[in-house]
Amino acid sequence: MNRSGKFTAVLLCSAILVACGQDTDQELVAPGAGQETVVRAQVPGLSEDYAKLRKQQVASVDYRLSVTLDAERDHFSGQVIADTRLNGKPTQPLTVDFSGGSVDSVRVNDREVPFTYNDYFISIAPEYLRAGENAIAIRYQHPYSTDGSGLHRFRDPEDGNVYMYTDFEPYDANRLFPHFDQPNLKAHYTLDVTAPKDWTIITSVREQKVEEKGDKKLWQFPQSAKFSSYIFSLHAGPFRVWEDETDGIPLRLMARRTLAEYVKPEDWFKFTKQSFEFFQPYFDIDYPFVKYDQVIVPDFNAGAMENVAAVTFNEAYVSRGEKTEAQRMRLANVIAHEMAHMWFGDLVTMNWWDDLWLNESFATYMANLSLARNSEFKNAWENFYLGTKQWAYRADQLPTTHAIQLPVHNTDEAFANFDGITYGKGGSILKQLPYYLGEEKFRLGVSNYLKDLSYSNSTLDDFMGHLGKAADKDLQQWQQQWLYQPGLNTLSAQFQCDNGKVAGLTLIQTGPEEYPTLREQRTQLGFYNLEGGSMVLKEVLPVMYSGASTNVAAAKGLDCPQILNPNEGDWAFVKVNLDSTSVDNMKRHINDIEKPFTRLMLWQNLYDSFYDGKLPLNQYLHFVLENAGTERDINVIRLVARHLGSTFRYLNQVDMNESRREELQLAIETFVWQQLQQSEAGSDAQKTWFGTFTDVAKSDGALANARDLLLGERKLDGLTLDPDRRWDLIYLQNAHLYSDYQQAIDRELARDNSDRAQLKAIASEAVRPLPEAKAKWLQNILEHREDFKLSQLRYAADNLFPASQVTLYDDNAEQIISAIGAVNATASPEYIGTFTDLFPLNCSEAGVQQLTAILEGGEQLNPLMEKSLKNRRYDNQRCVDMGQLLTHASAD
């Protein structure tokens, strides 16, 4: 997440580094006595090779940081003193990371010294440093960020108040202050901040002293614990503050004032306390820091960030209406996820970004375990399957799938690995490890790992070694199969029956051609049979399987199943192919299946058949419309509703007869409207179907219903149109240029001028199928991005070319493609992610070929851009294949 910019070098005379008048575009090279020559290229980001060198140079470091914040200026200033102990007399330059600022002076051991600064890092020649202790003092200035990373500045449009927060992972802490920005150079931090007098300042410790200085206050903080700089924090502003405590730990929750009325602190503190109640005894380590703050911030690029004792959360977790239980559970889950990081990531931190999964996979698993064991949510693992695990399965079937543990050569590559493999697949395989090792042995291994490596850095071998020792098991084979090999295996069951009893049962495991590794893991077989009109789970059989086939001798003699689920209870990370008997009975009895979790898995299995091109879209849709209307489990409803939305979008694109397309889309729209009308008033099902209705409404009748709901001329009992749902209806009007779509935006902004409303207004304008709307926002995104916050550009890019407007994309494709070189060369990863959203689902051979030409054009693409475009090409090709299957099915 590093910030790039136009290269500007500050050239000062230094005999070792750059001679006066030398071309500053050359790399800085310094031969070391008896050492290999080391080069740090003058590029943004940090390479693993250079980080290793600097770890050898720097034995330890602590920082004393002073920052001055001003609400009205476009930049902040500061001084950092890095108390640095060097391993011997340096023979090569020492570089200090600092991206995009300006450097006023550098002093080493109370002596001002020459330096060079290239907009990415400061270089200090070795003759100005000594073996052992050095005090490196740097005075600097830096602009506030508008892209949600570094030190981000936000002005609330409702009351004019200014708020600031930091977001650093993986490589943006150096946008707050110059330092050694790599995870294995942990440090203590001592901070003081001068800021407007009505602001609250938040960091990893509580303030020890606050002094008034005119219209400012000076906040002084004691030295922190030792941790990596990417989890250091500085948040500031006139926050509304709620306070509580648990087990002697002070708790605070903060939000901007205009959002405060919508925050439900009782939920936040409840979920926080439940997480502490679970994690402290599970890890057998008391919470390692002195307080626990949670700060809700605008324009945030992620869901949340585990800054030590000062966690930041996206404002999306605050609803301006009544939350569904699923939304409440998502909040509880993210609170638990970030808290798990306090031990796993903050107390013990990966040595380098190749072990990112050690942080994220573990927090993902532990959050769900915490909810399952100590919360009001009794279907936590069903939600894990519905959300996180499906994300992982999809990511593992993409052409950009990768091993959980993989080389990361630089921080740009690290940024690209925050994905469904690192979070979802890693969390899923950790979920099955306790079944493999035993729950208590797994817990003991984790606890010992954290105790032995507290306040230190670790590697994969450290973690796996502690687990193996606790379980007295060699995990090398497991590690090779699961952590070093990508790809998703498929599991199916073959069984024969005699006289109503199983005569033989074999589990068959396969792998994709490009990733043929077959793995060992535990699963459960669920045997279902009709009994009294219900499809009942009659037997559950735990099995360890491996290799291409596993004979399940224990199944012999059991009642012959009508449905056999090879992954009952979702123990295994594997894709399931049901046998033909089970498929036939599932289709005839899906509503008779007693267990909601099994119905959920079978509905997903059916969608997978469509998604994998085995079941034509029209046949899948017919089954859904025939059977989904009587479902009452909210998780199954959420799954089916989500899949109907996806199917509708595919119908916008696949090559088919236009009258047939309209017929199928109208069938979806009609079904969804019926479910919305028939759902229990105020229920989560009603809220779910409303969200799907705004995704699929297209006919004049549906759009009229949407307009009447917005104007209050039509009401559905129990459905409250909070501000966010109102914007969903306005967006729908604009997407179809229906009725007074522009006036709808103006009316709503007059009653709701919040930042969220303004972003929704941008999305509503960008989605209009008008050439002038596309031209305006495309120009803003490509040519005037400095005039907008990244959040504004993201809302525009996300909505500029939906799948139903591909012809409008085609009209602008040349302009977008021609911008790739400039974006790739100069833009931040955050902006690159926004730019790639301009490429729509383009279900045509031409769309596939267009992306192929870009990817094979010979230009070195940023890892994030390359990954996004490869995935989009894959989606386009899959959509083409779906259309061909539909055409063949219609012909048959």
Side-chain angles (χ1 to χ4, degrees), residues 38-107:
V38 177
V39 175
R40 181 172 185 178
Q42 298 194 44
V43 296
L46 180 68
S47 71
E48 181 184 23
D49 288 342
Y50 188 79
K52 288 178 178 178
L53 163 71
R54 195 161 59 185
K55 178 63 175 174
Q56 295 172 355
Q57 291 178 308
V58 179
S60 65
V61 62
D62 292 322
Y63 300 106
R64 291 174 279 157
L65 176 62
S66 298
V67 177
T68 299
L69 304 177
D70 190 311
E72 302 307 321
R73 304 182 74 175
D74 62 358
H75 68 278
F76 61 95
S77 59
Q79 174 179 277
V80 62
I81 302 175
D83 294 316
T84 309
R85 185 161 59 87
L86 297 177
N87 286 314
K89 171 68 175 172
T91 59
Q92 302 179 76
L94 181 67
T95 66
V96 183
D97 307 318
F98 185 50
S99 177
S102 60
V103 181
D104 298 328
S105 66
V106 175
R107 299 181 66 86

Side-chain angles (χ1 to χ4, degrees), residues 416-613:
N417 289 336
F418 287 81
D419 60 12
I421 299 298
T422 298
Y423 286 78
K425 185 176 181 179
S428 298
I429 64 103
L430 284 177
K431 179 179 182 285
Q432 50 115 331
L433 255 184
Y435 301 128
Y436 187 71
L437 301 177
E439 289 188 20
E440 178 55 22
K441 291 176 180 178
F442 176 82
R443 188 205 67 78
L444 183 61
V446 168
S447 177
N448 290 340
Y449 165 82
L450 293 172
K451 289 174 181 176
D452 290 348
L453 293 162
S454 289
Y455 303 102
S456 301
N457 294 90
S458 68
T459 65
L460 169 65
D461 288 341
D462 294 321
F463 180 59
M464 300 307 299
H466 280 83
L467 292 184
K469 183 177 180 181
D472 193 22
K473 197 162 190 173
D474 184 354
L475 293 176
Q476 283 297 316
Q477 181 180 352
W478 185 93
Q479 187 172 327
Q480 286 296 323
Q481 290 180 351
W482 286 103
L483 302 181
Y484 289 101
Q485 302 297 327
L488 177 63
N489 296 115
T490 299
L491 184 67
S492 59
Q494 297 178 355
F495 61 94
Q496 305 81 40
C497 295
D498 289 330
N499 298 319
K501 300 293 182 181
V502 175
L505 192 156
T506 303
L507 294 179
I508 306 298
Q509 181 183 194
T510 58
E513 182 178 349
E514 60 272 32
Y515 304 117
T517 299
L518 301 180
R519 298 172 170 91
E520 178 181 76
Q521 64 177 323
R522 287 180 68 82
T523 188
Q524 291 185 126
L525 307 183
F527 294 72
Y528 286 82
N529 289 91
L530 274 174
E531 187 175 277
S534 294
M535 189 67 74
V536 178
L537 179 63
K538 301 291 289 184
E539 296 283 349
V540 179
L541 184 62
V543 177
M544 180 77 79
Y545 72 89
S546 62
S549 66
T550 302
N551 178 49
V552 185
K556 190 172 183 178
L558 297 178
D559 288 344
C560 188
Q562 290 172 286
I563 296 176
L564 178 60
N565 180 9
N567 191 18
E568 182 67 27
D570 192 35
W571 278 19
F573 183 81
V574 70
K575 192 170 187 176
V576 167
N577 269 354
L578 295 176
D579 63 276
S580 58
T581 299
S582 296
V583 169
D584 183 55
N585 283 310
M586 176 197 75
K587 289 182 177 180
R588 290 190 290 121
H589 297 289
I590 194 162
N591 290 316
D592 299 324
I593 297 170
E594 190 176 60
K595 289 187 65 179
F597 196 176
T598 302
R599 294 201 305 278
L600 182 72
M601 296 182 77
L602 294 181
W603 273 108
Q604 180 63 48
N605 186 271
L606 187 73
Y607 181 79
D608 288 342
S609 295
F610 154 61
Y611 185 75
D612 291 342

Side-chain angles (χ1 to χ4, degrees), residues 11-156:
L11 181 60
L12 296 176
C13 294
S14 171
I16 295 293
L17 293 175
V18 183
C20 290
Q22 184 177 348
D23 182 358
T24 56
D25 283 337
Q26 295 179 1
E27 295 170 327
L28 305 181
V29 183
Q35 297 182 16
E36 184 179 347
T37 298
V38 177
V39 175
R40 181 172 185 178
Q42 298 194 44
V43 296
L46 180 68
S47 71
E48 181 184 23
D49 288 342
Y50 188 79
K52 288 178 178 178
L53 163 71
R54 195 161 59 185
K55 178 63 175 174
Q56 295 172 355
Q57 291 178 308
V58 179
S60 65
V61 62
D62 292 322
Y63 300 106
R64 291 174 279 157
L65 176 62
S66 298
V67 177
T68 299
L69 304 177
D70 190 311
E72 302 307 321
R73 304 182 74 175
D74 62 358
H75 68 278
F76 61 95
S77 59
Q79 174 179 277
V80 62
I81 302 175
D83 294 316
T84 309
R85 185 161 59 87
L86 297 177
N87 286 314
K89 171 68 175 172
T91 59
Q92 302 179 76
L94 181 67
T95 66
V96 183
D97 307 318
F98 185 50
S99 177
S102 60
V103 181
D104 298 328
S105 66
V106 175
R107 299 181 66 86
V108 178
N109 302 322
D110 291 327
R111 175 189 173 192
E112 189 159 342
V113 301
F115 64 93
T116 59
Y117 177 52
N118 61 5
D119 205 42
Y120 309 133
F121 54 85
I122 302 161
S123 294
I124 304 171
E127 65 262 32
Y128 302 112
L129 300 161
R130 64 193 181 201
E133 304 296 335
N134 292 265
I136 303 171
I138 302 172
R139 290 188 177 276
Y140 66 93
Q141 299 179 60
H142 199 287
Y144 294 114
S145 165
T146 60
D147 65 2
S149 58
L151 179 58
H152 182 82
R153 178 181 179 273
F154 171 88
R155 185 180 292 277
D156 193 318

Side-chain angles (χ1 to χ4, degrees), residues 191-203 205-222 252:
L191 173 68
D192 66 73
V193 179
T194 302
K197 64 190 306 182
D198 62 337
W199 286 15
T200 298
I201 308 299
I202 305 105
T203 186
V205 292
R206 290 291 291 267
E207 66 277 5
Q208 64 182 8
K209 187 178 182 181
V210 180
E211 298 179 49
E212 289 206 22
K213 293 187 175 292
D215 61 349
K216 305 278 188 181
K217 283 184 178 178
L218 174 63
W219 293 66
Q220 296 174 290
F221 296 87
R252 290 190 300 182

Side-chain angles (χ1 to χ4, degrees), residues 795-824:
Y795 266 73
D798 283 350
N799 297 284
L800 203 56
F801 299 113
S804 58
Q805 299 178 13
V806 169
T807 55
L808 287 166
Y809 164 78
D810 292 339
D811 294 340
N812 293 278
E814 183 177 347
Q815 182 182 1
I816 295 170
I817 294 171
S818 65
I820 288 177
V823 172
N824 185 63

Side-chain angles (χ1 to χ4, degrees), residues 16 59 64 168 216 225 245 258 260 286 446 588 647 737 841:
I16 295 293
R64 291 174 279 157
F168 293 152
K216 305 278 188 181
E245 68 86 32
T258 57
D286 288 341
V446 168
R588 290 190 290 121
T647 305
L737 302 180
L841 178 67

